[in-house]
Amino acid sequence: MTTLRPTVLLCLAGILAIAAAWRFRTAVQPEELSDPEPYATFAAAAEQVPSDPTPLNRLAEAHQANGLTNALITTLQQLLDHTWDRRDRVTLLTQLGELHQKRREASKAAQYCRRALEDGPAHLPALRIIGRVAEKSAAAGCEEDLLAVYQQ
């Protein structure tokens, strides 16, 4: 009986985390998340049930809606760690590349987009980002980068 109690407690904790995630999935809109409590709830739900991407997706939506770029990047990286579908990974990697490009972090943007192209070689948004990064590099005197992109 004593070995059953920790297992039951873990199951209950998982059920409560799933219930919290579902409640926020249907009830809370990202623009309503100006107060930090829902953020903590999503983060806790994500830790309790790492196999369910819903809390991390909702957290990413909330960060994006509130313009929290650093937090959005961190959340997308966490989501990437739990994503196995190639198409979803390509999308996440491209989003990360785009965010880094907007922050003028060209090398990180190109790095994420190259990873996206490993899984989806014809993914046009990733190619566009790499192309823009390469064109800026060419304007700065690094024509080799531009040539490498166009050869891809």
Side-chain angles (χ1 to χ4, degrees):
M1 188 71 143
T2 56
T3 59
L4 183 62
R5 286 186 184 173
T7 306
V8 170
L9 290 175
L10 284 174
C11 289
L12 286 174
I15 290 169
L16 290 174
I18 291 170
W22 275 102
R23 182 174 60 118
F24 281 105
R25 173 187 264 182
T26 58
V28 177
Q29 297 302 313
E31 56 274 3
E32 297 172 3
L33 294 174
S34 57
D35 133 33
E37 185 180 326
Y39 287 104
T41 304
F42 282 137
E47 286 178 19
Q48 289 293 321
V49 191
S51 60
D52 182 5
T54 303
L56 285 174
N57 278 323
R58 297 293 292 174
L59 193 56
E61 290 172 10
H63 291 322
Q64 188 168 16
N66 289 300
L68 303 172
T69 306
N70 291 339
L72 177 58
I73 288 172
T74 301
T75 303
L76 290 176
Q77 289 170 335
Q78 290 172 344
L79 192 54
L80 184 62
D81 292 339
H82 298 290
T83 302
W84 304 110
D85 182 74
R86 289 178 69 174
R87 287 177 288 173
D88 291 343
R89 287 184 62 78
V90 168
T91 301
L92 287 169
L93 287 164
T94 304
Q95 280 182 289
L96 284 162
E98 186 176 9
L99 288 168
H100 283 290
Q101 182 196 12
K102 287 179 182 177
R103 292 173 64 178
R104 300 184 193 278
E105 297 172 343
S107 63
K108 284 185 178 181
Q111 180 183 35
Y112 279 111
C113 288
R114 283 190 183 105
R115 285 177 58 194
L117 292 172
E118 288 173 7
D119 286 337
H123 189 64
L124 192 56
L127 286 169
R128 284 186 181 144
I129 292 169
I130 288 179
R132 286 192 295 261
V133 167
E135 285 175 359
K136 288 181 182 179
S137 295
C142 300
E143 290 82 12
E144 302 86 35
D145 290 346
L146 181 62
L147 181 62
V149 168
Y150 286 116
Q151 287 176 342
Q152 251 183 350

